[in-house]
Amino acid sequence: MWDDQFEEILRPFLPFLPPQEPLTADHELKDLGLDSLGTVQLLGLLEEAYQVRFRDSALTMDTFRSAGVLWETVEGMLQRATS
Amino acid sequence: MNGQPTAQARTDARVHDLLDEATAEYPDAAAVADATGRWTYRELTAWSHAVDAWLQAQGIGHGDRVLVQLASTRELVALLYGTARRGAVLVPVNTGMRDYHLRAVAENSEPSLVIVADPAVARVSALAGPVTVLGLDEVWRAVTDLRDKEARGDGAPVRSDDLAVLVYTSGSTAAPKAVVCPHGRMVFATEAINLELGYRPDDVVFCRFPISWDYGLYKVLLTAAGRSELVLADGESDLVLLRRIRETGATVVPIVPSLATMICALAEREPRQDSTVRMFTNTGAALPKPTADGLRTAFPGSEVVIQFGQTECKRVSVLPPDQQDVRPESVGRPLPGTRAFAVDDDGNALPPWRTGEIVVEGPHVMPGYWRAPEQTARAFRPAPGGGLRLHTGDYGHVDEDGYLYYEGRRDDMFKHKGVRMSTTEIEAAAVDVPGVRAAAVLPPAPGRDLAVFAEGGIDPHVLLRELSLRLEPAKVPGVSRVVDELPLTAHGKHDRKQLVRLLEGTTP
């Protein structure tokens, strides 16, 4: 499961998700209101916060499909950075 | 782009003449590319003839409407030109259009044929009434057979005043309405715009916008007029926007402010010194100066052209780059061969710097709205000197040299994310949501996002989610508030001043 920082960064881009409702790993982010501009901005914020860089192959809508997939991608980069 | 162009745009040509002329001149030049491939002008022409022949075989004739809800691919470009050859009328609707609106468009346009993506056939058949609904794959197999046989339609006459396209746009009523676009006026608008923009044979035009939107639609015609290549990039991930612009060697990139913001954000993360882009062309809303500066920094050597318009005449004005420092607030000068100026309430032209409604005259003014005589009579009025005068509903003024300055609107129309919409249609969609008794919408303003207020038992986030099921993404508000009671004025209308205060949290 992701850390608090991840959810703090992600939630503002999900206007359809009530604050009291939990963010689940497989809910489609698009259905929660993530749009293209939000996706591009989210990319920049995640890279900055975690000091990582998304590879070109990860720059797909699929990476941003759900919180679970997105966190897996970030986590994978973190592990590569520390190993 | 210095000085007023001296050449003239034609009024008597047909949409497919643009393609045929480009093909005669540059048959083997690249005409259109999408994610899966590229066609030369010769190939695109052959496909458009095959579409014409196929439509004829389907019994589609002069004036029949062909409604398409399709992604912006090469096939859609061939369908546009093929329908034009047939003398039929293409009705392109956004792939993001929800059933709620699509049903209204199908009822209003009364198509003889509907073409959609294959998975959508059953769903669209259910809402479109008795008309034949076909999937693109099936259609394209038949069209491919005809192209292999070099088939052509019977060449039934098509005149420049025949309708080529119905462009659905948001109106001041809840239901969408269509601007009727005859061949001759579309070609005139295209050529007049190109006198200002100057698309050339070595241009690669990167189009992120759908062909269902007139901004994307006219890129098809403009690239033919310029003998340029059109790259259709709608439907691709915006995360790779910058990479695709660089890969395709794009020289011209049409933008709206939100797209420019995305390009700038991506360029910051992946800066590069070299760039092939020579021109960004903006429309939809004013481009903030930091965004324009960001583009010029990220793409050294590029210039940003400001444009202003509405579907009813395609484009009102273009501001040449050499005028931007001289008149930074201007939205440009009227297209060559057209007029645009401010008038008072009685329709008299106002002197420079006096604010009034902006009206437009010229061969680019479309003849009206489809099957909406009252709305047509309101917006398209007889011009004192003959022809039509379009009342845009936009307010502003001109300077001594005739350059236009846009100030705002006085009705419920506004633009969000580059797309025109009205508070009325969003309010209507909100009231359609179970649990909502009444709704009011505040247009966006500097420092304030588009906002919806609802009265009823619903969570504000759920309301946005429900609206996203009924409206295209650009029309979904960024802010949602549920209130016990919507504030009303003494006349029983929504008290928007009070709503602004609610939003700013100054009400206890």
Side-chain angles (χ1 to χ4, degrees):
Chain A
M1 193 63 177
W2 49 77
D3 60 20
D4 290 347
Q5 187 187 11
F6 177 78
E7 188 156 337
E8 267 166 40
I9 293 172
L10 183 54
R11 269 198 181 255
F13 293 99
L14 310 175
F16 307 167
L17 181 68
Q20 67 279 10
E21 212 172 277
L23 175 63
T24 60
D26 49 7
H27 206 137
E28 295 268 338
L29 296 180
K30 203 175 148 213
D31 293 344
L32 297 175
L34 181 66
D35 62 10
S36 337
L37 181 54
T39 308
V40 169
Q41 289 169 334
L42 182 58
L43 167 72
L45 287 176
L46 289 172
E47 287 189 333
E48 201 179 300
Y50 290 97
Q51 288 296 301
V52 294
R53 185 161 177 87
F54 282 67
R55 293 177 176 188
D56 278 1
S57 57
L59 293 183
T60 64
M61 285 311 185
D62 212 41
T63 305
F64 290 79
R65 196 183 68 227
S66 67
V69 176
L70 184 57
W71 174 247
E72 253 174 53
T73 312
V74 173
E75 209 180 18
M77 288 187 287
L78 286 173
Q79 280 165 358
R80 269 203 305 280
T82 52
S83 60
Chain B
M1 300 204 25
N2 295 319
Q4 195 78 14
T6 48
Q8 281 198 338
R10 292 173 293 176
T11 55
D12 58 352
R14 288 104 30 106
V15 161
H16 48 289
D17 290 334
L18 288 172
L19 173 62
D20 292 342
E21 289 156 7
T23 303
E25 202 177 347
Y26 291 94
D28 298 312
V32 56
D34 60 18
T36 61
R38 170 189 280 170
W39 287 337
T40 62
Y41 274 101
R42 191 199 305 273
E43 288 168 326
L44 174 56
T45 296
W47 282 108
S48 73
H49 280 295
V51 167
D52 179 12
W54 177 80
L55 287 171
Q56 187 187 332
Q58 303 303 305
I60 299 299
H62 194 266
D64 289 342
R65 271 82 59 208
V66 179
L67 192 156
V68 294
Q69 186 178 34
L70 294 170
S72 296
T73 60
R74 287 172 290 161
E75 288 83 353
L76 183 51
V77 174
L79 280 164
L80 166 66
Y81 283 121
T83 309
R85 284 192 199 288
R86 187 91 290 269
V89 185
L90 192 75
V91 186
V93 301
N94 196 302
T95 52
M97 184 180 277
R98 307 297 187 229
D99 292 357
Y100 174 75
H101 275 156
L102 188 56
R103 190 176 288 114
V105 167
E107 267 171 30
N108 181 250
S109 61
E110 281 193 275
S112 301
L113 180 65
V114 178
I115 307 173
V116 297
D118 288 60
V121 171
R123 183 179 58 80
V124 175
S125 298
L127 63 87
V131 60
T132 306
V133 180
L134 298 175
L136 180 65
D137 288 355
E138 180 192 343
V139 171
W140 215 251
R141 275 191 296 273
V143 171
T144 304
D145 282 345
L146 289 164
R147 196 217 46 167
D148 292 346
K149 293 177 196 143
E150 296 178 28
R152 292 187 168 222
D154 60 10
V158 180
R159 292 163 23 145
S160 61
D161 55 358
D162 288 336
L163 298 193
V165 183
L166 291 184
V167 178
Y168 275 84
T169 172
S170 289
S172 47
T173 57
K177 68 175 189 290
V179 176
V180 300
C181 304
H183 285 258
R185 297 184 197 217
M186 291 183 79
V187 173
F188 176 88
T190 301
E191 294 187 340
I193 292 167
N194 206 36
L195 289 172
E196 288 285 18
L197 296 184
Y199 280 19
R200 334 181 281 227
D202 62 344
D203 272 329
V204 177
V205 179
F206 185 89
C207 184
R208 169 62 190 84
F209 304 106
I211 291 171
S212 57
W213 189 21
D214 71 339
Y215 199 28
L217 173 68
Y218 277 84
K219 293 300 162 287
V220 176
L221 308 185
L222 272 163
T223 46
R227 295 20 174 168
S228 320
E229 176 181 354
L230 175 67
V231 174
L232 297 169
D234 184 43
E236 291 184 9
S237 159
D238 282 319
L239 294 162
V240 296
L241 254 181
L242 181 67
R243 198 204 308 164
R244 293 288 292 146
I245 288 173
R246 287 170 174 167
E247 276 172 5
T248 55
T251 60
V252 177
V253 183
I255 52 169
V256 295
S258 58
L259 182 69
T261 307
M262 275 196 273
I263 294 172
C264 287
L266 290 166
E268 253 173 54
R269 116 177 234 284
E270 215 175 321
R272 239 171 55 182
Q273 288 310 308
D274 57 319
S275 156
T276 53
V277 179
R278 68 176 184 91
M279 178 164 69
F280 291 95
T281 58
N282 181 68
T283 191
L287 187 68
K289 189 164 186 306
T291 314
D293 291 343
L295 288 175
R296 282 188 287 254
T297 306
F299 298 86
S302 66
E303 50 191 23
V304 180
V305 182
I306 304 302
Q307 311 176 98
F308 177 65
Q310 57 178 231
T311 310
E312 284 80 348
C313 67
K314 175 47 206 164
R315 181 138 305 143
V316 176
S317 58
V318 176
L319 183 67
D322 63 3
Q323 291 294 319
Q324 271 166 33
D325 290 334
V326 191
R327 316 169 207 262
E329 302 298 322
S330 172
V331 293
R333 60 187 178 195
L335 292 181
T338 74
R339 301 173 70 208
F341 48 98
V343 297
D344 65 18
D345 290 345
D346 300 321
N348 303 307
L350 288 165
W353 306 104
R354 287 270 306 279
T355 298
E357 187 181 15
I358 296 172
V359 296
V360 182
E361 296 176 10
H364 61 330
V365 174
M366 301 295 164
Y369 300 115
W370 175 254
R371 293 182 177 169
E374 282 171 26
Q375 289 172 313
T376 297
R378 250 197 313 277
F380 300 84
R381 303 183 202 169
L388 285 174
R389 172 184 280 185
L390 170 66
H391 283 251
T392 62
D394 292 331
Y395 283 75
H397 62 270
V398 295
D399 65 17
E400 290 81 359
D401 300 317
Y403 281 76
L404 283 168
Y405 296 76
Y406 171 70
E407 291 167 27
R409 290 188 68 95
R410 295 180 183 174
D411 57 10
D412 61 359
M413 304 292 301
F414 62 94
K415 283 185 175 176
H416 185 231
K417 297 185 180 174
V419 178
R420 186 164 72 162
M421 57 195 77
S422 72
T423 53
T424 316
E425 64 178 324
I426 302 173
E427 285 164 1
V431 174
D432 188 57
V433 174
V436 175
R437 286 194 304 273
V441 167
L442 265 190
R448 197 179 77 212
D449 200 353
L450 173 60
V452 59
F453 296 80
E455 206 180 288
I458 188 166
D459 177 277
H461 303 83
V462 174
L463 172 58
L464 290 182
R465 194 185 304 170
E466 289 290 329
L467 283 175
S468 77
L469 302 175
R470 290 168 174 78
L471 299 166
E472 293 144 63
K475 295 180 180 174
V476 179
V479 176
S480 168
R481 295 284 165 85
V482 174
V483 295
D484 292 336
E485 212 170 319
L486 285 171
L488 297 177
T489 64
H491 304 291
K493 295 190 167 170
H494 293 311
D495 186 343
R496 296 190 199 276
K497 282 185 191 142
Q498 191 67 26
L499 290 172
V500 171
R501 280 196 285 274
L502 274 176
L503 206 55
E504 289 166 352
T506 50
T507 302

